[in-house]
Amino acid sequence: RILTKDFYSACFPDISYDGKSMLFSGQLSEGDVWQIWEMELAGGKYRQVTTSEQNCTDPVYLPGGRLAFSKLTINDTVKNAHCLYTCNSDGSNLKQITFSPHSIFATIVLRDGRLLGIGTRTFPEKGSPVMMVMRPDGTKADVFYKDITGNGDGIRSICETKDGRILFTESDKDSNSTEKLVSVSYSRPLYTRKVLS
């Protein structure tokens, strides 16, 4: 069943904790700025959450009725990066929570309540992707995982398992092969990398 047939394009779905609604990024028409939308899954009714002049993507539900998402931010501090923002479910009380020149995408909420996303330095030069972890208010931001082989080119599709592992896909700079499925332990992510595929 196609849930977003009224949209030109839609992606990055995140299901609410009670399973009744879904956040996603969408464009109603071709060329529209990407906005965050919420849909009631039972009836398919949707509403726009953000009304930004810049692209908003990768939404996730936070405990306590708020949500987080990536938004293109252009200013003297970050230059041109996708920073993380939080807001209420109706889009009010918007707060920027990351201020470094790192674009952060593919954010998930860990079971301990922290945010885990893929960050790439954009200034002064582009860096390799790393996983960054932080509290929902942006404090205590730190590197969670980075490719220690020096050959990594991309990290995608992060998820957390019930047995304390973080699964993701990783690609190599020097290879045309498909992405590898990789796991790391939640408790020691920098030292427990295992290639599963």
Side-chain angles (χ1 to χ4, degrees), residues 11-12 24-27 32-37 49-59 69-72 82-83 85 94 105:
C11 54
F12 309 119
F24 63 97
S25 301
Q27 294 176 304
D32 283 355
V33 172
W34 288 91
Q35 301 291 352
I36 306 301
W37 299 78
V49 176
T50 60
T51 55
S52 174
E53 295 180 5
Q54 303 295 339
N55 288 327
C56 299
T57 60
D58 301 274
F69 60 93
S70 297
K71 177 181 171 220
L72 178 61
H82 283 82
C83 297
Y85 288 74
L94 181 68
F105 295 105

Side-chain angles (χ1 to χ4, degrees), residues 6-194:
D6 295 343
F7 288 77
Y8 170 75
S9 189
C11 54
F12 309 119
D14 187 59
I15 306 299
S16 63
Y17 296 104
D18 61 7
K20 294 181 179 179
S21 59
M22 172 182 70
L23 290 173
F24 63 97
S25 301
Q27 294 176 304
L28 277 176
S29 302
E30 184 176 6
D32 283 355
V33 172
W34 288 91
Q35 301 291 352
I36 306 301
W37 299 78
E38 185 175 42
M39 176 180 289
E40 295 174 8
L41 292 174
K45 184 179 176 183
Y46 56 85
R47 63 180 181 80
Q48 188 171 340
V49 176
T50 60
T51 55
S52 174
E53 295 180 5
Q54 303 295 339
N55 288 327
C56 299
T57 60
D58 301 274
V60 291
Y61 285 101
L62 295 173
R66 288 180 64 79
L67 56 104
F69 60 93
S70 297
K71 177 181 171 220
L72 178 61
T73 305
I74 303 169
N75 59 35
D76 291 339
T77 304
V78 301
K79 303 304 181 193
N80 185 334
H82 283 82
C83 297
L84 288 183
Y85 288 74
T86 63
C87 67
N88 293 333
S89 61
D90 62 1
S92 64
N93 196 17
L94 181 68
K95 292 183 179 179
Q96 183 177 349
I97 63 168
T98 61
F99 299 88
S100 68
H102 279 77
S103 281
I104 302 178
F105 295 105
T107 307
I108 65 167
V109 179
L110 296 171
R111 292 194 297 166
D112 67 7
R114 293 184 298 166
L115 297 173
L116 179 65
I118 301 168
T120 304
R121 188 179 68 238
T122 59
F123 181 82
E125 65 272 336
K126 187 173 180 181
S128 297
V130 298
M131 280 191 220
M132 298 184 70
V133 66
M134 69 197 71
R135 292 176 179 168
D137 62 1
T139 60
K140 298 287 186 180
D142 203 357
V143 172
F144 183 81
Y145 168 83
K146 64 180 179 178
D147 175 36
I148 58 173
T149 67
N151 197 37
D153 188 42
I155 301 170
R156 293 171 187 77
S157 307
I158 307 170
C159 71
E160 182 181 19
T161 67
K162 292 180 180 179
D163 63 353
R165 292 183 299 157
I166 305 297
L167 300 177
F168 55 96
T169 60
E170 195 173 55
S171 57
D172 292 335
K173 292 177 186 175
D174 306 323
S175 173
N176 292 325
S177 64
T178 58
E179 295 179 342
K180 302 179 292 270
L181 180 63
V182 178
S183 83
V184 294
S185 168
Y186 173 87
S187 58
R188 290 179 54 85
L190 295 174
Y191 305 99
T192 55
R193 179 180 182 270
K194 289 184 183 177

